Amino acid sequence: MTPAPIALTVGEPAGIGPEIAVKAWQAGREDMAFFWIGDPAHLPATAVWAEISDPAEAVQMMPVALPVMRHEFDGPRVAGIAQPNHARSVIEVIARAVDMA
């Protein structure tokens, strides 16, 4: 039986979370299944990602791209500068992950 994929939430987009998600995918894409919930616009420009709509899709997607469950944020990411208007979306993303658990 394949274990259920893990939900990885974006955290504060201005932090290192988007970069860590990509590095985790690069390091473990053959060994684990997870998906990232966040705004793809916050991922590094070179990130290889694919949108999913159901957590189960992450298992098939992991070998080829970071599975992303889209959750759009209000405004762009400014690395190192937290945006107060992102707070609501950060909380919503955590709630989505909890609801799926």
Side-chain angles (χ1 to χ4, degrees), residues 22-38:
V22 173
K23 288 181 186 264
W25 171 74
Q26 290 169 335
R29 64 184 177 196
E30 300 295 331
D31 302 320
M32 66 175 105
F34 70 88
F35 59 98
W36 185 75
I37 308 172

Side-chain angles (χ1 to χ4, degrees), residues 17-64:
E19 288 84 3
I20 295 295
V22 173
K23 288 181 186 264
W25 171 74
Q26 290 169 335
R29 64 184 177 196
E30 300 295 331
D31 302 320
M32 66 175 105
F34 70 88
F35 59 98
W36 185 75
I37 308 172
D39 191 331
H42 297 160
L43 290 169
T46 58
V48 177
W49 63 275
E51 188 169 348
I52 63 170
S53 58
D54 185 280
E57 297 171 33
V59 175
Q60 290 79 31
M61 191 55 59
M62 274 300 285
V64 295

